[in-house]
Amino acid sequence: MIKSIDSQQVESLTYDIDVATQLVQGVDLWINTPRRPWEASGTSGMKVLVNGGLNLSELDGWWAEAFQPEVGCALGDGAEHGEDPAWDRSEAEALYALLEQDVVTAFYERDAQGLPQAWLARMRESMARLTGLFSTNRMVREYTETYYLSAAAAYRARGGADFSQVREIERWLALTRRHWSGVRIAVVSREHDGERLRVDAHVYSDELPPDSVRVELYSDAEAADAAPERIALQRGEPLAGSSGGYRYHIEITTRRPAEHYSVRVVSAHPQVRWPLETGLVCWER
Ligand SMILES: *Cc1c(COP(=O)(O)O)cnc(C)c1O
């Protein structure tokens, strides 16, 4: 059941695909015992699935996602314990206990026809639940749908038929960079009434057309796992007697104090990503 590799067969420490091919097809149980968090992924354990092998692995890499008691065995508590020798010793004990009490029992307990029913049940669950999810087909499909197709569409949209749009974007970038230092936020007022917050601002975009800027109300994320708030202000009347000055306003409902919100101006063009491509920003003072 457990194969070992002759030390002379292993010529180097790089991944030997010929040895791996034999192993992933030939073993009943793939034992993988890295110290957390050193398992980068554990793709060899995934290769075992389609061959009907089971995994007994540290709860690290893919196994931390994939493990369920019906599909294999898990070592560790999913936490990191550094190089603590006491923890290593307790995991070694746990490994032998799993092998002796769980693996060996399930593998050698045979029915009248000589079939290890408990083992076969796990093989079926492992193949049925995990093979489709942890496969190259799924990965390539997901990358294609999520990233490659939208990147290709964005490339086509940006290039246009004759790249005229790219030239237009270059002109826009040059103009916007040249005049950005002239952008300013002159007046900001906040009216806070209960949970209603109204913000008014006067913004001057200098020589830049008003569509080249986006005026927004910004506040840092309230919780570590939340995104910052970015709410666009609406452009109103031009400011009389000014060049490139406009009134902006927005009304929101919030439980947060008004001081959490700042007005800022960022560059805006439907094809140019901010902050990746310009990063231009002007904050209220
Ligand atoms: C499967 C495979 C790996 C991954 O090995 P793991 O350490 O098990 O994740 C690396 N290199 C090659 C060529 C492989 O086929």
Side-chain angles (χ1 to χ4, degrees), residues 161-173:
D162 56 356
F163 288 92
S164 59
Q165 198 164 214
V166 176
R167 288 188 207 102
E168 192 279 308
I169 288 172
E170 280 306 313
R171 276 194 294 274
W172 181 86
L173 279 171

Side-chain angles (χ1 to χ4, degrees), residues 15-17 20 30 32 39-45 47:
Y15 198 94
D16 185 325
I17 201 153
W30 193 261
N32 187 31
E39 177 51 80
S41 170
T43 41
S44 298
K47 296 169 190 171

Side-chain angles (χ1 to χ4, degrees), residues 103-116:
V103 171
V104 170
T105 322
F107 191 82
Y108 287 105
E109 245 174 39
R110 308 286 165 126
D111 66 10
Q113 290 155 337
L115 296 175

